[in-house]
Amino acid sequence: MFVRAPKGTKDILPDQSYVWQYIENNIHELTRLYGYKEIRTPIFEHTELFERGVGDTTDIVQKEMYTFLDKGGRSITLKPEGTAGVVRAFIEHSLYAQSQPTKLYYLTPVFRYEAPQSGRLRQHHQFGVEVFGAKKASIDAEIIGLAMALFDRLGINDLAINISSIGCPECRPDYQKALKKYLADRYNKLCTTCKERYERNPLRILDCKEESCQKLLKGVPVILDYLCEECNNHFEVLRQYLAIMGLDYKVNPMIVRGLDYYTKTVFEIIAEGDNFKGTVCGGGRYDGLVEECGGPATSGVGFGMGLDRLIMIMEEQKVDIPDNTKLDVYFATIGEEAKLKAMELITLLRNNHIAADMDHVGRSLKSQFKYSDKLDVPWVCIIGDNELKENIVKLRDMVTGEEIDVSLDNLVTVLAKKID
Ligand code: ATP
Ligand code: MG
């Protein structure tokens, strides 16, 4: 019996992989311009890391993790987000002992047991950045700018930056009190999840996607009115930096983010298209997290960007995506001896950075041409008995149909020039 892929997962097929490579290449180039280095951490970690690092009152930890016992009886969890593993590695390898800040980025699959729907997968993919040891608001602005620069490079438009501050352990309790007071009268109308949130993590109620809860929130006190001087100042400086970077944004005190460990800055970058509506990138500051995970007190700020959603937006906006994975030249051969010659030549071309291929299935000359059309190669080299005798190939321009003879000595030079 044939076994299908698990629900909520997606194969990236060969005709789509160039899109991922294109985005990833842009990410590698862009992060270098901003002084970030890549970090790769394991796909799975000890479950406690996420309970502690993501927070056990979050939806992720309560409902969405892929957790299992390994053969040694340890509780293991597939990464449900990118930050916790990076924080663990930062502490485990004493990266805090080096000169700060530490500017990192990652590309990783992420696993969450969610109800699969458009833009919501059980394995999705994230690009993320984390900066440790930089407490200034300029770095909060930098990462928002970095995310926007990526969208810009990829040709994506019409995304809205929403920012807010959720304060710090100094000022947040005051707000939580005011929020609970406001919600106390409306408690009975809250959804079941929000009733639980009311005690454990009332801020998360602001983020509830239930319409009935959203209705209750009209007129709710906003956290920005409760910030202490330090948090207020941080938020003002962030706004100054965003302004100087030419970034438009909206102050939206309803964004709180799903994760427990945020302090001060929170932000989301939101798409409003028909194909995908929602958050494509979310992040903020988490000055308590490194310490919470057992390291020295170190500030942190970062974001996670959903690449599957990013691609949905690119498709909707019909962004031009260059396909650099195509062959430069295909060899169409007649006879066994010509095939041997073709192998010698494509080896030479490949060693000279020209992407070349030949027939391996025994197609007739006519089908080899049909096949090269399908491959969409710009050039075909033809080798038959005549060409063998004269030490040449016929080089056909697949756009114009023109053919010229090229001596084997010149083949690399001629092709290199043509595909340049
Ligand atoms: P949402 O509110 O949509 O559930 P989230 O707050 O859980 O998002 P984060 O934990 O901040 O999301 O993850 C960062 C980004 O990863 C999101 O902005 C989104 O683009 C993407 N993402 C999160 N969950 C999924 C998923 N199940 N499928 C595809 N992309 C996702
Ligand atoms: Mg979620």
Side-chain angles (χ1 to χ4, degrees):
M1 199 195 67
F2 176 68
V3 183
R4 287 184 183 282
K7 203 168 142 184
T9 66
K10 222 175 44 182
D11 295 310
I12 297 163
L13 296 173
D15 67 349
Q16 266 290 303
S17 50
Y18 78 95
V19 174
W20 288 81
Q21 289 181 356
Y22 172 69
I23 294 168
E24 287 161 6
N25 290 340
N26 268 288
I27 289 170
H28 294 305
E29 282 172 31
L30 185 69
T31 45
R32 196 188 73 79
L33 294 177
Y34 282 68
Y36 289 69
K37 287 204 199 283
E38 187 180 7
I39 182 162
R40 302 187 190 195
T41 64
I43 296 290
F44 59 87
E45 297 274 358
H46 291 294
T47 303
E48 301 102 88
L49 176 71
F50 301 117
E51 286 170 348
R52 185 157 274 262
V54 180
D56 43 22
T57 62
T58 58
D59 286 355
I60 292 183
V61 171
Q62 289 202 335
K63 304 191 277 206
E64 298 174 357
M65 294 205 302
Y66 277 91
T67 298
F68 56 95
L69 292 180
D70 73 5
K71 291 192 199 304
R74 302 171 198 89
S75 180
I76 294 294
T77 295
L78 304 184
K79 264 188 206 179
E81 51 88 57
T83 302
V86 175
V87 168
R88 182 203 42 73
F90 177 81
I91 299 168
E92 194 161 333
H93 304 286
S94 312
L95 299 187
Y96 52 79
Q98 302 174 4
S99 307
Q100 298 302 314
T102 305
K103 298 169 82 173
L104 304 169
Y105 76 97
Y106 60 80
L107 287 159
T108 184
V110 171
F111 305 88
R112 294 184 189 176
Y113 195 79
E114 300 203 69
Q117 50 187 285
S118 169
R120 201 169 284 288
L121 295 157
R122 288 184 175 171
Q123 175 179 340
H124 72 273
H125 302 82
Q126 286 191 16
F127 157 49
V129 306
E130 317 288 354
V131 181
F132 299 106
K135 61 175 194 287
K136 297 288 189 186
S138 52
I139 196 77
D140 309 25
E142 174 178 282
I143 65 167
I144 296 174
L146 195 164
M148 293 309 285
L150 178 65
F151 297 131
D152 214 38
R153 263 174 100 102
L154 296 175
I156 297 172
N157 299 309
D158 298 332
L159 297 179
I161 304 172
N162 281 221
I163 62 168
S164 184
S165 171
I166 55 166
C168 66
E170 287 286 304
C171 51
R172 203 180 311 155
D174 284 345
Y175 174 65
Q176 264 165 344
K177 243 185 252 154
L179 177 63
K180 283 176 86 166
K181 193 162 162 240
Y182 172 88
L183 290 169
D185 297 341
R186 300 160 174 87
Y187 180 85
N188 286 331
K189 291 190 185 151
L190 290 171
C191 73
T192 339
T193 322
C194 283
K195 283 191 175 121
E196 285 166 30
R197 287 174 179 149
Y198 182 84
E199 284 310 329
R200 265 203 303 251
N201 191 354
L203 239 71
R204 291 289 324 281
I205 296 175
L206 301 179
D207 192 32
C208 183
K209 288 174 180 106
E210 294 289 327
E211 212 171 298
S212 51
C213 291
Q214 282 300 321
K215 254 194 214 149
L216 297 180
L217 295 172
K218 300 237 159 76
V220 71
V222 297
I223 187 148
L224 294 173
D225 296 334
Y226 289 79
L227 296 181
C228 63
E229 198 184 332
E230 187 190 319
C231 288
N232 201 36
N233 188 40
H234 190 92
F235 193 56
E236 282 310 312
V237 175
L238 167 66
R239 296 179 62 165
Q240 283 170 12
Y241 273 93
L242 290 176
I244 209 153
M245 292 161 76
L247 295 170
D248 289 332
Y249 60 86
K250 183 176 145 197
V251 174
N252 175 0
M254 298 305 271
I255 59 171
V256 289
R257 313 287 307 123
L259 312 176
D260 264 359
Y261 50 62
Y262 284 90
T263 51
K264 297 192 170 111
T265 309
V266 287
F267 70 91
E268 294 193 357
I269 301 174
I270 299 172
E272 287 294 344
D274 295 330
N275 205 10
F276 177 72
K277 266 189 203 20
T279 305
V280 60
C281 178
R285 178 165 279 279
Y286 41 83
D287 286 343
L289 181 61
V290 173
E291 205 173 2
E292 176 70 29
C293 292
T298 309
S299 50
V301 57
F303 68 65
M305 182 187 292
L307 297 180
D308 309 85
R309 292 183 184 178
L310 177 90
I311 289 176
M312 289 175 76
I313 298 168
M314 288 172 84
E315 284 167 355
E316 169 157 25
Q317 298 192 1
K318 301 212 173 7
V319 167
D320 194 30
I321 306 164
D323 183 357
N324 293 327
T325 64
K326 281 186 190 159
L327 284 176
D328 298 313
V329 57
Y330 187 78
F331 277 66
T333 51
I334 315 156
E336 286 311 310
E337 211 182 316
K339 273 201 198 319
L340 273 170
K341 190 56 153 184
M343 183 56 102
E344 181 190 330
L345 292 172
I346 63 174
T347 305
L348 177 73
L349 292 174
R350 288 165 173 174
N351 288 340
N352 283 279
H353 304 281
I354 295 170
D357 205 359
M358 61 182 275
D359 173 64
H360 295 289
V361 299
R363 287 192 168 91
S364 70
L365 187 64
K366 199 171 146 197
S367 335
Q368 289 181 59
F369 274 110
K370 261 197 208 146
Y371 180 64
S372 57
D373 268 340
K374 273 195 200 133
L375 293 177
D376 199 20
V377 276
W379 302 97
V380 172
C381 283
I382 307 148
I383 311 179
D385 289 344
N386 250 348
E387 287 76 20
L388 280 175
K389 222 183 294 154
E390 290 175 36
N391 259 330
I392 56 163
V393 297
K394 270 201 168 33
L395 179 63
R396 181 185 291 191
D397 180 331
M398 295 301 281
V399 179
T400 63
E402 243 171 278
E403 276 181 17
I404 52 168
D405 289 349
V406 180
S407 105
L408 296 192
D409 295 338
N410 297 335
L411 186 61
V412 172
T413 333
V414 170
L415 271 172
K417 227 183 252 161
K418 298 234 183 249
I419 63 175
D420 194 21

